[in-house]
Amino acid sequence: DGHDAPILNPFLYEGFALALNELNSALKKFNSIDHADPTRASTLIRAAGVLLAASTSGAGSRSNTEDVSVDLGPARLQCTEALFSILGGAAYRKDEELSLAVGEALAAYADAFGNAKWSNESEIWPDDYDEVFAFDLPPHQHVLYTLFQREVTHTNPLKRNASAAVLLALVAHASRQANLGRMDRAMVKQVSKNINLFQNSFIKLLSDPKSKQLSRESCCRGLAACRGLAHTLGDDGGILNERLLKAFGQTTYGGSAMIETESQARERRNERDGADADFPETEIGGAAGITESALGAFREMAAAAISLGRPDTVYSLLILSTSHSAWLAPRNRDKYNERSLLGNARAENSVSVRNALRPHLGKLVPRLLRACNDPNKHTREQMNSLWVALTGGGAESRAVITQNFLSTIDALIQDAVCSSWRARAGACSAISDIIVGRSWDELGGGGVVVDDDGEKMNTTASIRLIRLWRSALRALDDVRLVVRERGEVLGRSLRALTIRLCDPSVLISSDDTFLSDSDQMKKDREIEVQAEYAAAVSLGWLVKYGLNAPCPEATGICISCLLGIVDVSKPTTLQPVLAELCYALLMAMSGLEPAALNYLQVRAAGDSNSGGSGNDRYDNLERIRIQAAMSGPIATALNKCLEMVKHVDLETQQKLVPVFDSSLRTGAGFATRAATADAVSNLSNSCPSAFRFKGISSVNPTVRLLRALYYASERERGITAKDKMTHALGNLAALAPGSSVRQLVIKACKRYCESSGSNNDPSARKAAAATVRAIVVRSSNQLYDGGPNDIWRKKVLPVAFLGRHDEDTKVSTLWKDVWDEGGSIMSSSGRNDDTYGITLQENLLPFLEMAIISALRDMSWARRRHACSALLELSNSNILAPTSRSIIGDEDENDHDRFLQRAKSSSVLLRECTRIIARPRVWVGKADTIKAGSIIAGKWCSIAPAKGTSIDSLHGYYHTEWFPIVLKIDSYDDLFDGDGWFALNHSEADYLQDADCDVDEVKQLVANDDEYNGDESGLNLTDENEFEEEPDSGATFVKLSSMNTGVQSISFSGFCRLILDQGLKSPSQDTEGILPYRAAALSNLSNLLQSLVSAKGRFVSDYMIVYKRNLYHQLAPRLFSSISDGQSK
């Protein structure tokens, strides 16, 4: 019929046989490792195809001579085997397109005689390859049998790869012949009869993990050729389509034969009941054991075709997904294009297919993009080719994505959190690619929504941005490594997008150059509003959820995004979320700090083998940690936010005060508390109005913050953080209500007094002293208002006077600063209506007197020692002595109040010293009491009354009961004037009991000194009414001229006798410290007597001579007796 090879003349058998033998030798040579030459091999392959086709009609042999005989049939078979040997050989490794040339040669050989009748045709093929059986088959069956039974199932992956192109050449040749109406040819019939084997082989080779690009694309075009051949032969393609879609998977997740369960696979096989015996079965899931990853790209094509309602589209997509250069070669372009392969089944070219699919790209784009980023390399390559073929690539692809952006991003967001890890990985990569450079309007526009409940019908840009962040954080915490890696890429892209949306400067388009001024201003305002929306949404969600993510990588990317937003945003942009942002950054200071640092610091503090004390090591590490935190990016962002506070409205500024209070109370680490303290100090100077609230103290946020700072500084162990909080407290106190500051100072003073003795707490004492010092030094304006009870003069400065004598040098230094700074302010204020004096000590003498008495009667021995040191200081400074005018007799009426104040305080303190000296217990510091009492008595003896009168009483200025000391000849048995104490031996008198019995008396004495009455509970941060100030109960102190306490004067002789008794005290069982005490008593007695001898008063000389003589006769015998007893022993 003109399409078959001519009948070969028998005389040509020998020449053809020789030629085939030479080709056989040449093919083997140039396919060997030593002589591999793809170019020559390609020429020989084409020549072999022609010779095989031309010699198909010949058989047998013809002899030229009697000795030489050439058999044409074996030569033809050997040449065919030589062609099969090219597949996977050395030449093929250098040029894989040789497999396509081999396929065309074999196709020409198989179709040489299309209508011939073959005597050895066989419809039943053995399961295993049989070479003898293969050689007996006609050419079209021989080629197919060898391919299916040997080459496709070969263990060599190169052989399998090369077989795909051969199968394509055969089925493409058959399809072309069928399209030309030559359906009755034997080769076409044989291919159509085994169409299922072709389809299954193509699918199997597609799923081969070692398949190469040409092999995969040959399978794609081969499947299309199978569909075209079946359609040409009158088959509607339903069975082929069903089998193909069943293998690929009709849906993206589930419903596919590839991922069905064992029971589903068994049910499917039972339904088929062996109808497709040629279709290989597997025990569990899937067509031919195909894995989900192997056919990822083709599964997406199948799903896309099903979603479009056009299953035949999958073949056009298969052809569009091929991009190998072999299909563009001139000799192959017309053989393997879509028209040649599909024929009437699909006659459009790629452009027409692309145009036909344009309306459906909204559904296709998400699937294609996700498949283009599939974890499987083969899937990515195949789908990238299809993507470029459908969209055009480059700017055209970007335009297609932009046109379908909202539907695409919504679909990919859903895929990013689905159950299939491959879909999650592909969706994350696809999202990271398409969100680059997008604007707020492109994301959907709209207002601010700070939370997504998943039920909103109208999806705006806010909702999409939140969902993007949620998807990114879930991907970063995924169980699959591939998904986590893609999640990191998505996180970085999303961070860049978020920062870009919050930065108005980068949103200005170059197309705005020619806008008018009014339009430009309107455009700029819209951009700023969109930036505010983006900042509010991003910061709100990141602060609420992002920083609390369980995955450290997710938390890190959120922190990085926060820092970037803060760096580029304007104050107006951050104003709606500034308070929440500052709180989040403060909490992140400690929350994101490695836990190992805290472990190291605690262990270093408890390591006794290291040099230095544990507290020093702890403080050093704390200082290093705080320096590292304050120099980090979070601190930089926090400082940037604090700099913006001055540019926002007052309402926003005041929202920060409760934030600082909350961070102090709930902060888990000292880095957060230190950063909060620095923030308070910063805003106290830059935005003082932010801390001024209206209302009572109990609900004032500033007062709560002030209290939180005090308690935090008291409980903080590290010195660096404690100093920062104390510094902040001082700055804040200048802006807080005066009553609250006074309450805090009173509490700190009480806390200091209570934290000694059995309740010794050095950190609490230091915190109290540091608190008072910070307020006095940094909030000096508060000292001008002492409240209704003038606490600064009556309470704080007296405590500071005693605190200067604390054994802890750091604490004493703090109280010294309080005394110096507060004293200078008190002196300059001139508030001394009820006291008199020139120096600060004299001006505060009544209040110092009460503080000293309270400390002397305290249960704490340390407090008693402080009081003794303070009393001795007052005694040595001549404050507890008569004025100089009263001594020389030149006083006037202006001096009487000052004299009376000194007399009263000296009398009270000398009486207290006497009570302490008379007690039997000896303790460290009691010697100072004797010394102070001796000095006081010695100062006043020069003007002490004699015989019950004095020159001062003649002026009517004073009452005699105010004199600390009296001189009477007949009062040797009196300790106090007229009490006969030594005669009655009142050693067990109530007022001489030890201090342990005087607690109630001390409390009663100082009860009226408290500005705020009421029972004090322990340190409790939840006590909201702790700072509430009670109404004034009246002035504590009245004019001294109106006071008459009836204090008894001390008998000078009785006081000397008491001191002598202490000096001659017999040692008890516990002799520790008794000898120094006795020596101090005798030394002070000597000084006291010397003051009487050298006194130049205004008394009658004869009386004083008699008094001194009598005193000598009373004291000397006991001294001489004690000396004699000592010498005799």
Side-chain angles (χ1 to χ4, degrees):
D1 58 1
H3 302 291
D4 291 340
I7 301 298
L8 189 63
N9 192 307
F11 292 99
L12 297 178
Y13 287 179
E14 182 180 358
F16 270 83
L18 291 174
L20 289 173
N21 286 333
E22 293 297 329
L23 280 175
N24 182 23
S25 300
L27 287 172
K28 291 181 178 180
K29 176 181 178 181
F30 295 112
N31 189 40
S32 63
I33 297 177
D34 297 332
H35 302 90
D37 189 341
T39 304
R40 292 185 179 182
S42 176
T43 304
L44 293 173
I45 290 171
R46 287 194 294 271
V50 174
L51 283 177
L52 287 173
S55 64
T56 303
S57 62
S61 62
R62 182 170 180 87
S63 301
N64 289 333
T65 64
E66 295 181 358
D67 298 330
V68 179
S69 176
V70 178
D71 195 344
L72 180 59
R76 189 168 54 242
L77 293 175
Q78 291 176 7
C79 187
T80 304
E81 289 299 312
L83 288 177
F84 280 117
S85 66
I86 296 292
L87 305 179
Y92 170 80
R93 296 174 189 174
K94 294 186 176 182
D95 185 2
E96 61 181 358
E97 294 184 20
L98 290 179
S99 59
L100 197 58
V102 171
E104 293 175 356
L106 292 176
Y109 168 58
D111 195 32
F113 278 89
N115 299 319
K117 299 297 182 179
W118 302 91
S119 60
N120 54 353
E121 280 187 313
S122 176
E123 299 297 333
I124 300 175
W125 294 350
D127 294 335
D128 297 329
Y129 177 74
D130 187 350
E131 184 176 355
V132 176
F133 177 79
F135 287 169
D136 289 339
L137 292 174
H140 57 279
Q141 289 188 340
H142 172 214
V143 171
L144 295 183
Y145 176 76
T146 303
L147 279 174
F148 290 132
Q149 300 299 329
R150 189 181 68 182
E151 302 300 325
V152 173
T153 59
H154 204 283
T155 57
N156 186 354
L158 294 177
K159 280 276 189 182
R160 297 197 301 270
N161 279 328
S163 299
V166 177
L167 290 173
L168 169 63
L170 291 172
V171 73
H173 181 85
S175 179
R176 288 194 300 270
Q177 294 295 329
N179 291 334
L180 295 174
R182 302 165 187 165
M183 284 83 72
D184 57 345
R185 299 184 65 82
M187 189 263 188
V188 176
K189 291 180 180 179
Q190 191 66 37
V191 171
S192 61
K193 187 184 301 183
N194 295 281
I195 194 69
N196 291 338
L197 282 178
F198 276 95
Q199 188 184 52
N200 293 339
S201 298
F202 284 134
I203 295 174
K204 181 178 180 180
L205 292 174
L206 273 177
S207 65
D208 194 331
K210 294 187 177 182
S211 62
K212 304 299 181 182
Q213 180 183 1
L214 182 61
S215 175
R216 294 194 306 273
E217 295 187 4
S218 297
C219 293
C220 292
R221 291 181 177 262
L223 289 171
C226 291
R227 175 68 180 94
L229 178 60
H231 184 272
T232 304
L233 295 176
D235 188 356
D236 60 357
I239 297 177
L240 284 177
N241 292 345
E242 181 182 356
R243 291 170 63 87
L244 181 63
L245 296 177
K246 193 79 170 179
F248 285 171
Q250 294 179 0
T251 59
T252 304
Y253 324 112
S256 169
M258 294 185 299
I259 56 176
E260 63 188 358
T261 63
E262 183 178 1
S263 59
Q264 291 172 339
R266 187 181 299 108
E267 182 181 355
R268 173 175 52 82
R269 291 193 294 269
N270 292 335
E271 289 177 357
R272 273 209 316 244
D273 197 17
D276 288 332
D278 295 332
F279 192 87
E281 298 289 346
T282 56
E283 195 161 312
I284 299 178
I290 297 173
T291 62
E292 182 184 359
S293 62
L295 296 179
F298 311 104
R299 182 187 66 244
E300 297 298 335
M301 294 181 196
I306 294 299
S307 65
L308 296 177
R310 303 175 62 179
D312 286 341
T313 308
V314 68
Y315 299 105
S316 297
L317 296 177
L318 286 173
I319 295 176
L320 289 176
S321 66
T322 58
S323 60
H324 198 278
S325 59
W327 317 124
L328 303 178
R331 64 178 180 275
N332 298 328
R333 186 182 299 120
D334 296 332
K335 294 180 181 179
Y336 302 104
N337 60 17
E338 186 175 8
R339 180 178 296 274
S340 299
L341 298 178
L342 288 175
N344 297 328
R346 196 60 162 168
E348 299 93 341
N349 54 24
S350 61
V351 176
S352 61
V353 173
R354 186 189 309 171
N355 294 332
L357 293 178
R358 286 283 182 181
H360 307 283
L361 285 179
K363 296 180 180 179
L364 289 177
V365 168
R367 300 180 182 274
L368 295 177
L369 287 175
R370 189 190 61 210
C372 288
N373 294 274
D374 194 86
N376 184 267
K377 178 183 177 182
H378 298 166
T379 302
R380 290 197 304 271
E381 294 175 353
Q382 203 77 27
M383 295 308 294
N384 281 326
S385 300
L386 177 60
W387 172 255
V388 173
L390 283 177
T391 62
E396 295 182 14
S397 298
R398 180 75 174 180
V400 171
I401 295 174
T402 302
Q403 292 172 5
N404 305 276
F405 182 76
L406 295 182
S407 60
T408 300
I409 196 69
D410 290 340
L412 290 176
I413 289 175
Q414 293 180 0
D415 293 344
V417 294
C418 70
S419 58
S420 173
W421 69 270
R422 294 183 180 276
R424 294 198 302 269
C428 289
S429 294
I431 293 174
S432 62
D433 291 337
I434 67 174
I435 64 175
V436 176
R438 300 297 175 179
S439 65
W440 184 260
D441 290 333
E442 287 180 312
L443 288 174
V448 176
V449 179
V450 296
D451 202 356
D452 175 29
D453 55 7
E455 299 179 356
K456 295 179 174 59
M457 300 299 294
N458 185 20
T459 305
T460 61
S462 300
I463 300 299
R464 288 189 177 91
L465 192 59
I466 291 174
R467 292 176 180 176
L468 284 172
W469 272 110
R470 184 185 296 118
S471 301
L473 265 59
R474 288 188 62 177
L476 287 169
D477 198 23
D478 201 274
V479 295
R480 291 278 186 170
L481 176 61
V482 176
V483 181
R484 292 198 298 271
E485 292 174 349
R486 304 292 180 90
E488 292 179 3
V489 177
L490 174 59
R492 291 193 293 269
S493 298
L494 188 56
R495 173 188 176 275
L497 172 67
T498 305
I499 295 175
R500 183 179 182 276
L501 292 175
C502 298
D503 188 2
S505 62
V506 302
L507 298 178
I508 300 176
S509 174
S510 59
D511 298 335
D512 299 341
T513 307
F514 302 101
L515 293 177
S516 62
D517 293 342
S518 59
D519 293 341
Q520 184 65 45
M521 292 178 62
K522 183 178 179 181
K523 182 66 174 178
D524 293 345
R525 180 54 190 162
E526 291 178 357
I527 292 175
E528 291 181 359
V529 170
Q530 291 179 358
E532 292 178 8
Y533 290 165
V537 172
S538 303
L539 293 176
W541 194 89
L542 291 174
V543 166
K544 186 175 181 180
Y545 300 103
L547 297 183
N548 299 320
C551 174
E553 291 81 3
T555 305
I557 199 69
C558 292
I559 287 294
S560 178
C561 186
L562 281 176
L563 301 182
I565 295 174
V566 172
D567 189 50
V568 301
S569 299
K570 295 181 179 180
T572 54
T573 304
L574 295 181
Q575 179 172 319
V577 294
L578 188 59
E580 293 81 0
L581 178 59
C582 289
Y583 178 78
L585 292 175
L586 287 172
M587 299 303 290
M589 294 288 287
S590 292
L592 299 180
E593 189 181 30
L597 293 178
N598 184 59
Y599 175 81
L600 176 64
Q601 184 171 353
V602 174
R603 296 288 294 177
D607 187 5
S608 59
N609 297 325
S610 302
S613 64
N615 290 332
D616 292 341
R617 292 191 297 272
Y618 185 92
D619 292 338
N620 291 335
L621 284 175
E622 181 211 28
R623 182 172 61 256
I624 294 173
R625 290 175 62 185
I626 290 181
Q627 289 176 354
M630 295 305 174
S631 60
I634 298 178
T636 303
L638 179 61
N639 293 333
K640 181 71 179 297
C641 293
L642 295 178
E643 291 176 1
M644 295 181 181
V645 173
K646 65 180 72 173
H647 303 292
V648 299
D649 55 36
L650 180 60
E651 181 181 358
T652 304
Q653 293 178 0
Q654 291 183 339
K655 289 181 180 179
L656 291 172
V657 180
V659 166
F660 296 151
D661 177 63
S662 179
S663 63
L664 279 174
R665 297 171 184 270
T666 61
F670 59 75
T672 293
R673 295 188 289 270
T676 303
D678 286 344
V680 172
S681 300
N682 190 344
L683 290 187
S684 298
N685 297 324
S686 60
C687 304
S689 58
F691 297 94
R692 295 191 173 97
F693 293 87
K694 297 180 180 179
I696 60 176
S697 300
S698 60
V699 295
N700 193 322
T702 302
V703 175
R704 285 180 53 85
L705 178 59
L706 188 73
R707 181 180 60 201
L709 283 169
Y710 170 68
Y711 286 121
S713 64
E714 183 183 48
R715 297 178 179 181
E716 190 66 51
R717 178 180 177 182
I719 187 172
T720 304
K722 180 178 293 187
D723 290 344
K724 286 181 178 291
M725 287 184 282
T726 304
H727 183 274
L729 185 146
N731 292 329
L732 184 62
L735 307 173
S739 60
S740 301
V741 176
R742 293 192 295 272
Q743 170 63 27
L744 178 61
V745 171
I746 288 293
K747 186 171 185 62
C749 291
K750 288 184 177 179
R751 182 65 173 159
Y752 171 77
C753 296
E754 294 169 355
S755 300
S756 58
S758 59
N759 298 324
N760 184 38
D761 188 352
S763 61
R765 288 190 290 113
K766 184 177 180 181
T771 297
V772 178
R773 179 194 177 277
I775 295 175
V776 171
V777 173
R778 302 187 179 279
S779 307
S780 57
N781 60 306
Q782 296 285 0
L783 273 68
Y784 293 97
D785 181 13
N789 294 325
D790 197 7
I791 66 160
W792 301 107
R793 298 175 65 239
K794 298 178 180 179
K795 181 68 177 179
V796 178
L797 289 179
V799 172
F801 184 77
L802 268 67
R804 294 184 309 138
H805 301 278
D806 197 290
E807 290 87 351
D808 191 338
T809 56
K810 295 181 180 179
V811 176
S812 63
T813 302
L814 294 173
W815 284 117
K816 185 178 184 301
D817 293 341
V818 174
W819 175 259
D820 294 341
E821 187 70 20
S824 62
I825 296 176
M826 292 295 103
S827 300
S828 61
S829 64
R831 296 200 316 272
N832 54 356
D833 298 336
D834 52 353
T835 57
Y836 312 92
I838 299 175
T839 63
L840 179 63
Q841 289 92 333
E842 185 177 5
N843 195 286
L844 301 178
L845 185 58
F847 316 127
L848 298 179
E849 162 207 325
M850 295 190 65
I852 291 174
I853 292 177
S854 176
L856 287 174
R857 297 182 179 183
D858 199 286
M859 296 179 63
S860 170
W861 297 108
R863 289 266 296 154
R864 297 183 189 185
R865 291 193 297 271
H866 301 167
C868 291
S869 300
L871 178 60
L872 187 59
E873 180 184 353
L874 285 178
S875 303
N876 291 329
S877 60
N878 287 330
I879 300 299
L880 299 177
T883 59
S884 57
R885 289 177 176 267
S886 64
I887 295 176
I888 63 177
D890 191 23
E891 70 281 348
D892 54 18
E893 299 218 2
N894 295 328
D895 194 50
H896 74 284
D897 285 332
R898 184 180 170 205
F899 177 87
L900 184 59
Q901 175 178 285
R902 289 193 174 195
K904 183 262 178 183
S905 297
S906 300
S907 183
V908 172
L909 291 174
L910 182 59
R911 176 177 181 270
E912 188 65 24
C913 289
T914 304
R915 292 163 54 90
I916 294 174
I917 295 171
R919 294 177 187 136
R921 178 177 295 179
V922 177
W923 42 275
V924 177
K926 187 175 181 181
D928 292 338
T929 307
I930 297 178
K931 184 175 182 180
S934 301
I935 294 175
I936 296 172
K939 297 290 185 181
W940 285 94
C941 69
S942 60
I943 60 171
K947 297 182 180 180
T949 61
S950 70
I951 296 177
D952 300 300
S953 63
L954 299 177
H955 296 283
Y957 294 162
Y958 315 108
H959 301 284
T960 56
E961 56 267 22
W962 286 118
F963 277 94
I965 200 80
V966 294
L967 304 176
K968 290 185 178 180
I969 297 176
D970 55 351
S971 62
Y972 182 70
D973 290 333
D974 295 341
L975 181 56
F976 291 86
D977 187 17
D979 67 346
W981 186 83
F982 290 102
L984 298 175
N985 193 21
H986 283 176
S987 59
E988 300 298 330
D990 292 338
Y991 60 87
L992 294 182
Q993 293 298 312
D994 209 332
D996 295 341
C997 301
D998 294 337
V999 177
D1000 294 336
E1001 181 182 354
V1002 174
K1003 292 184 177 179
Q1004 184 65 32
L1005 177 65
V1006 300
N1008 294 329
D1009 189 44
D1010 296 339
E1011 182 179 4
Y1012 307 99
N1013 298 325
D1015 185 23
E1016 288 288 345
S1017 61
L1019 297 179
N1020 186 1
L1021 289 172
T1022 60
D1023 188 2
E1024 297 296 334
N1025 298 323
E1026 189 176 357
F1027 279 13
E1028 186 174 358
E1029 184 175 10
E1030 295 185 356
D1032 185 21
S1033 58
T1036 304
F1037 298 99
V1038 296
K1039 287 290 185 179
L1040 294 179
S1041 59
S1042 64
M1043 294 178 62
N1044 186 0
T1045 59
V1047 177
Q1048 290 179 293
S1049 299
I1050 303 294
S1051 171
F1052 185 85
S1053 59
F1055 188 69
C1056 291
R1057 183 177 177 181
L1058 179 64
I1059 296 176
L1060 181 61
D1061 290 343
Q1062 299 298 315
L1064 301 179
K1065 179 187 287 289
S1066 299
S1068 59
Q1069 294 181 355
D1070 186 9
T1071 59
E1072 182 179 0
I1074 190 65
L1075 292 179
Y1077 175 73
R1078 293 172 60 189
L1082 294 175
S1083 175
N1084 287 302
L1085 176 61
S1086 175
N1087 295 334
L1088 179 60
L1089 295 175
Q1090 184 64 33
S1091 64
L1092 180 63
V1093 172
S1094 60
K1096 296 181 180 180
R1098 292 154 286 172
F1099 306 116
V1100 181
S1101 299
D1102 294 340
Y1103 182 83
M1104 289 299 299
I1105 293 173
V1106 174
Y1107 183 81
K1108 294 176 182 178
R1109 183 181 298 114
N1110 289 338
L1111 185 60
Y1112 173 80
H1113 290 303
Q1114 294 171 358
L1115 300 177
R1118 292 194 60 192
L1119 285 171
F1120 293 148
S1121 175
S1122 175
I1123 294 172
S1124 299
D1125 293 342
Q1127 290 177 349
S1128 62
K1129 292 180 181 180

Short mmCIF file of all heavy atoms in Angstrom, two decimals, residues 1064 1078 1118-1129:
data_model
loop_
_atom_site.label_atom_id
_atom_site.label_comp_id
_atom_site.label_asym_id
_atom_site.label_seq_id
_atom_site.Cartn_x
_atom_site.Cartn_y
_atom_site.Cartn_z
N LEU A 1064 32.80 49.50 140.92
CA LEU A 1064 33.24 48.51 141.91
C LEU A 1064 32.38 47.25 141.88
O LEU A 1064 32.40 46.47 142.83
CB LEU A 1064 33.17 49.14 143.31
CG LEU A 1064 34.04 50.40 143.51
CD1 LEU A 1064 33.87 50.94 144.92
CD2 LEU A 1064 35.49 50.09 143.22
N ARG A 1078 33.86 48.40 134.02
CA ARG A 1078 34.23 48.98 135.32
C ARG A 1078 35.26 50.08 135.15
O ARG A 1078 35.18 51.14 135.79
CB ARG A 1078 34.78 47.89 136.24
CG ARG A 1078 33.73 46.86 136.65
CD ARG A 1078 34.35 45.70 137.40
NE ARG A 1078 35.04 46.14 138.61
CZ ARG A 1078 35.82 45.37 139.38
NH1 ARG A 1078 36.02 44.10 139.02
NH2 ARG A 1078 36.40 45.85 140.46
N ARG A 1118 35.00 54.10 150.27
CA ARG A 1118 34.70 52.92 149.44
C ARG A 1118 35.82 52.67 148.45
O ARG A 1118 36.19 51.53 148.16
CB ARG A 1118 33.40 53.10 148.69
CG ARG A 1118 32.17 53.09 149.60
CD ARG A 1118 30.92 52.92 148.79
NE ARG A 1118 30.95 51.63 148.06
CZ ARG A 1118 30.10 51.33 147.11
NH1 ARG A 1118 29.19 52.21 146.74
NH2 ARG A 1118 30.19 50.15 146.51
N LEU A 1119 36.39 53.74 147.92
CA LEU A 1119 37.48 53.57 146.98
C LEU A 1119 38.71 52.99 147.69
O LEU A 1119 39.36 52.06 147.17
CB LEU A 1119 37.83 54.90 146.32
CG LEU A 1119 36.84 55.39 145.25
CD1 LEU A 1119 37.18 56.82 144.83
CD2 LEU A 1119 36.91 54.46 144.03
N PHE A 1120 39.05 53.56 148.87
CA PHE A 1120 40.21 53.07 149.60
C PHE A 1120 40.00 51.62 150.03
O PHE A 1120 40.93 50.80 149.97
CB PHE A 1120 40.48 53.94 150.84
CG PHE A 1120 40.91 55.34 150.48
CD1 PHE A 1120 40.58 56.43 151.30
CD2 PHE A 1120 41.66 55.58 149.32
CE1 PHE A 1120 40.98 57.70 150.97
CE2 PHE A 1120 42.06 56.86 149.02
CZ PHE A 1120 41.72 57.94 149.82
N SER A 1121 38.78 51.31 150.41
CA SER A 1121 38.50 49.94 150.84
C SER A 1121 38.65 48.97 149.66
O SER A 1121 39.20 47.88 149.80
CB SER A 1121 37.09 49.85 151.41
OG SER A 1121 36.76 48.52 151.72
N SER A 1122 38.18 49.39 148.49
CA SER A 1122 38.28 48.53 147.32
C SER A 1122 39.74 48.32 146.92
O SER A 1122 40.14 47.20 146.56
CB SER A 1122 37.51 49.15 146.15
OG SER A 1122 37.68 48.40 145.00
N ILE A 1123 40.56 49.39 147.09
CA ILE A 1123 41.98 49.27 146.74
C ILE A 1123 42.67 48.34 147.73
O ILE A 1123 43.49 47.50 147.35
CB ILE A 1123 42.62 50.66 146.71
CG1 ILE A 1123 42.02 51.49 145.56
CG2 ILE A 1123 44.13 50.54 146.54
CD1 ILE A 1123 42.47 52.94 145.57
N SER A 1124 42.33 48.51 149.00
CA SER A 1124 42.96 47.67 150.03
C SER A 1124 42.59 46.21 149.82
O SER A 1124 43.44 45.32 149.93
CB SER A 1124 42.52 48.13 151.42
OG SER A 1124 42.91 49.47 151.64
N ASP A 1125 41.32 45.97 149.51
CA ASP A 1125 40.89 44.58 149.29
C ASP A 1125 41.61 43.98 148.09
O ASP A 1125 41.99 42.81 148.08
CB ASP A 1125 39.38 44.52 149.08
CG ASP A 1125 38.63 44.90 150.35
OD1 ASP A 1125 39.25 44.86 151.42
OD2 ASP A 1125 37.43 45.24 150.23
N GLY A 1126 41.82 44.80 147.07
CA GLY A 1126 42.50 44.30 145.89
C GLY A 1126 43.95 43.97 146.16
O GLY A 1126 44.48 42.97 145.65
N GLN A 1127 44.63 44.80 147.01
CA GLN A 1127 46.02 44.53 147.32
C GLN A 1127 46.17 43.31 148.21
O GLN A 1127 47.12 42.54 148.08
CB GLN A 1127 46.64 45.76 148.02
CG GLN A 1127 46.79 46.94 147.08
CD GLN A 1127 47.34 48.18 147.81
OE1 GLN A 1127 47.40 48.19 149.05
NE2 GLN A 1127 47.71 49.20 147.04
N SER A 1128 45.21 43.12 149.09
CA SER A 1128 45.28 41.96 149.99
C SER A 1128 45.07 40.65 149.23
O SER A 1128 45.64 39.62 149.56
CB SER A 1128 44.25 42.08 151.11
OG SER A 1128 42.94 42.09 150.55
N LYS A 1129 44.27 40.70 148.18
CA LYS A 1129 44.05 39.50 147.37
C LYS A 1129 45.25 39.19 146.48
O LYS A 1129 45.51 38.07 146.14
CB LYS A 1129 42.80 39.67 146.51
CG LYS A 1129 41.51 39.70 147.33
CD LYS A 1129 40.33 39.87 146.43
CE LYS A 1129 39.03 39.92 147.24
NZ LYS A 1129 37.84 40.10 146.41
#
